[in-house]
Amino acid sequence: DVKVTQSSRYLVKRTGEKVFLECVQDMDHENMFWYRQDPGLGLRLIYFSYDVKMKEKGDIPEGYSVSREKKERFSLILESASTNQTSMYLCASSGETAQNTEAFFGQGTRLTVV
Amino acid sequence: DQQVKQNSPSLSVQEGRISILNCDYTNSMFDYFLWYKKYPAEGPTFLISISSIKDKNEDGRFTVFLNKSAKHLSLHIVPSQPGDSAVYFCAASRIARGGSYIPTFGRGTSLIVHP
């Protein structure tokens, strides 16, 4: 079974803090993604990575950065957390072939910025 | 600008009946279409997918139909069960930088199946 593990289920951080969300996958997937889920807005792509050290902006990258130093790990960084970044953050990974386009998700991190 | 639209935020169905969830898309470059199911406090799980060269894919109680000319797909669940109650996300994948397929998600439809 594919396993995508996010380091925290719940986080509470203060405005202005630097926040790290960690994600690890164990299926040797090339692609990794960070989404955020907000009520009524669905899942919106923040960043994705198709290889180690490679990253591409998604639809809402502002206020975020990412790091992929190893194939299995993809980190999301909030440089200076703000209250509008309170959300559910979802990490996902997927393989490279066209026949396996489905993404496998972690359990999510509920981040609250106060 | 939403490329994947799920216009019904919620759907209520009686157990044993058919559930039909709809999805529209605007980008003709999408190659694959997928449905995910999400329970509260969990990540989405993949349900079923269809390639753009097909018009139907079936897996047990779940069938996805694709109408490419109308840029519309639907998920049919027959018969519906109370355990199917969840939020269903439609997603469409396009090839992007590095040859990866990137899913774009709709806003979701909350399905409630009443016993």
Side-chain angles (χ1 to χ4, degrees):
Chain A
D1 271 358
V2 176
K3 196 162 186 188
V4 179
T5 304
Q6 296 181 228
S7 53
S8 305
R9 290 296 299 266
Y10 300 95
L11 273 180
V12 180
K13 296 292 181 182
R14 295 193 179 279
T15 301
E17 274 193 81
K18 190 168 187 176
V19 181
F20 293 86
L21 302 183
E22 306 287 347
C23 176
V24 177
Q25 51 97 1
D26 65 359
M27 281 303 292
D28 201 35
H29 280 166
E30 289 77 13
N31 306 313
M32 295 189 76
F33 312 88
W34 275 105
Y35 289 89
R36 63 178 279 179
Q37 183 196 3
D38 299 288
L41 297 178
L43 277 69
R44 294 179 293 166
L45 181 64
I46 304 172
Y47 267 96
F48 71 95
S49 169
Y50 56 90
D51 201 349
V52 176
K53 296 193 187 294
M54 305 306 290
K55 58 187 178 186
E56 292 286 334
K57 292 180 180 178
D59 300 317
I60 51 163
E62 296 79 19
Y64 303 95
S65 62
V66 290
S67 172
R68 194 163 179 203
E69 296 297 317
K70 293 185 178 181
K71 190 175 185 180
E72 67 271 18
R73 187 179 296 272
F74 192 37
S75 303
L76 179 69
I77 304 153
L78 285 66
E79 298 291 342
S80 177
S82 63
T83 54
N84 63 13
Q85 292 179 308
T86 291
S87 186
M88 168 71 89
Y89 289 88
L90 292 158
C91 174
S93 71
S94 70
E96 200 172 42
T97 64
Q99 291 74 24
N100 290 296
T101 61
E102 68 263 29
F104 296 86
F105 283 85
Q107 77 278 24
T109 297
R110 171 71 64 184
L111 172 67
T112 303
V113 182
V114 297
Chain B
D1 182 27
Q2 272 190 280
Q3 296 187 64
V4 178
K5 300 178 186 179
Q6 294 177 258
N7 291 322
S8 298
S10 63
L11 176 67
S12 183
V13 170
Q14 204 69 32
E15 181 179 7
R17 308 293 286 267
I18 185 171
S19 295
I20 300 176
L21 294 93
N22 293 302
C23 180
D24 298 292
Y25 61 95
T26 57
N27 190 340
S28 57
M29 300 299 289
F30 288 132
D31 292 308
Y32 288 88
F33 302 90
L34 310 96
W35 286 94
Y36 289 80
K37 177 179 177 179
K38 186 180 183 301
Y39 293 117
E42 293 182 13
T45 53
F46 169 73
L47 200 54
I48 192 170
S49 65
I50 188 167
S51 163
S52 60
I53 62 173
K54 296 189 174 181
D55 55 18
K56 178 181 174 182
N57 188 27
E58 193 170 351
D59 183 2
R61 296 187 297 113
F62 302 91
T63 303
V64 56
F65 295 93
L66 176 64
N67 182 334
K68 211 174 167 185
S69 60
K71 294 192 175 67
H72 177 83
L73 64 152
S74 60
L75 175 68
H76 292 212
I77 307 173
V78 182
S80 300
Q81 299 172 355
D84 295 329
S85 298
V87 177
Y88 288 78
F89 289 100
C90 171
S93 283
R94 68 186 192 283
I95 199 159
R97 181 81 68 94
S100 306
Y101 281 85
I102 310 300
T104 299
F105 287 83
R107 295 185 175 184
T109 296
S110 176
L111 173 66
I112 299 172
V113 181
H114 297 283

